[in-house]
Amino acid sequence: VDFFAILGRRVFNAIVKYIRRKDDFKKRRQSFSASYFGYTGTNFRQNFREKITMPTFQKVKIKDIAKINPDSIGCDFEHATIEYVDISSVGIGNLTEAQEMNIQNAPSRAKRLVKSGDTILSTVRPNRRSFFYFKNPKENTAVSTGFAVLRALKNNDPRYLYYSVTDKSFTGYLTKNANILQYAMRWKLY
């Protein structure tokens, strides 16, 4: 009796059993998934793709779904103090602190007022991704003019607006265009 022939046959049989078990597991998993999602038929993946459809989105301009910089501090501002938010106090979705200061001592760039549901997005070096969503700010909260304040129109969800404009692809678009604009201004191409 050839020892290597027996060993080869045993290894071969073990491999065949392993492959059969693996195929059986795939079939059982597919069968369970199909029954769990209520699909019948032989081709689970095709049925799954037919039933699950992604919503279609339409490209729109921000001005069509939101007001940009809707409110600012004017002569008729009734508060003596403001809660001032500058660019250095805003990170990627977080606010470290707002400085309370007298309106007379506030910097000239402390002009833009925010309300609940507003998104602020830094227009200065957008690659740093400084943005924040305000849930319940004080009435006298003002942000720097280095931010764009976006307020969703009545038929749009403010959180969806926030997630859309803070997506990495959107901030990449802003960064690219900011660099092009800086180049154009530097060489007076505008």
Side-chain angles (χ1 to χ4, degrees):
V1 177
D2 187 9
F3 175 74
F4 289 108
I6 295 172
L7 182 64
R9 217 174 307 127
R10 285 189 178 172
V11 169
F12 176 76
N13 289 337
I15 291 172
V16 168
K17 282 182 184 177
Y18 173 76
I19 290 171
R20 284 185 183 153
R21 262 190 265 136
K22 192 174 177 183
D23 286 345
D24 188 42
F25 175 73
K26 279 184 182 176
K27 287 176 187 173
R28 278 188 280 138
R29 184 180 63 194
Q30 193 173 23
S31 168
F32 169 75
S33 299
S35 64
Y36 180 76
F37 287 110
Y39 297 116
T40 57
T42 56
N43 195 342
F44 168 72
R45 287 187 181 142
Q46 184 178 355
N47 287 337
F48 188 77
R49 285 189 190 120
E50 288 172 1
K51 293 223 177 183
I52 304 296
T53 56
M54 292 299 290
T56 56
F57 295 98
Q58 144 186 37
K59 286 186 178 181
V60 294
K61 294 181 178 180
I62 290 179
K63 68 178 184 176
D64 296 336
I65 59 170
K67 290 182 181 177
I68 303 170
N69 303 328
D71 295 328
S72 61
I73 294 177
C75 299
D76 58 343
F77 189 66
E78 66 232 22
H79 300 284
T81 62
I82 61 168
E83 294 283 325
Y84 176 59
V85 177
D86 63 348
I87 294 175
S88 65
S89 62
V90 176
I92 301 174
N94 61 356
L95 175 64
T96 55
E97 66 177 322
Q99 304 167 9
E100 186 171 351
M101 57 180 63
N102 194 326
I103 193 82
Q104 274 74 28
N105 300 335
S108 61
R109 61 187 175 277
K111 295 285 184 207
R112 301 203 170 132
L113 295 171
V114 292
K115 291 184 179 177
S116 185
D118 285 356
T119 297
I120 58 171
L121 184 68
S122 174
T123 57
V124 179
R125 289 182 289 222
N127 59 319
R128 296 185 70 196
R129 302 191 71 221
S130 298
F131 51 80
F132 186 71
Y133 177 81
F134 283 94
K135 289 183 183 171
N136 293 312
K138 294 181 180 178
E139 254 184 46
N140 62 340
T141 303
V143 300
S144 169
T145 54
F147 288 108
V149 178
L150 305 175
R151 186 171 299 154
L153 296 176
K154 291 186 188 233
N155 57 345
N156 295 301
D157 183 12
R159 293 298 287 186
Y160 183 77
L161 175 66
Y162 169 76
Y163 290 126
S164 299
V165 299
T166 58
D167 184 61
K168 285 186 179 182
S169 62
F170 184 77
T171 53
Y173 171 80
L174 291 178
T175 302
K176 184 179 101 176
N177 286 319
N179 291 338
I180 291 170
L181 182 61
Q182 288 172 356
Y183 174 81
M185 290 178 72
R186 185 176 187 188
W187 296 100
K188 301 193 185 321
L189 299 174
Y190 53 95

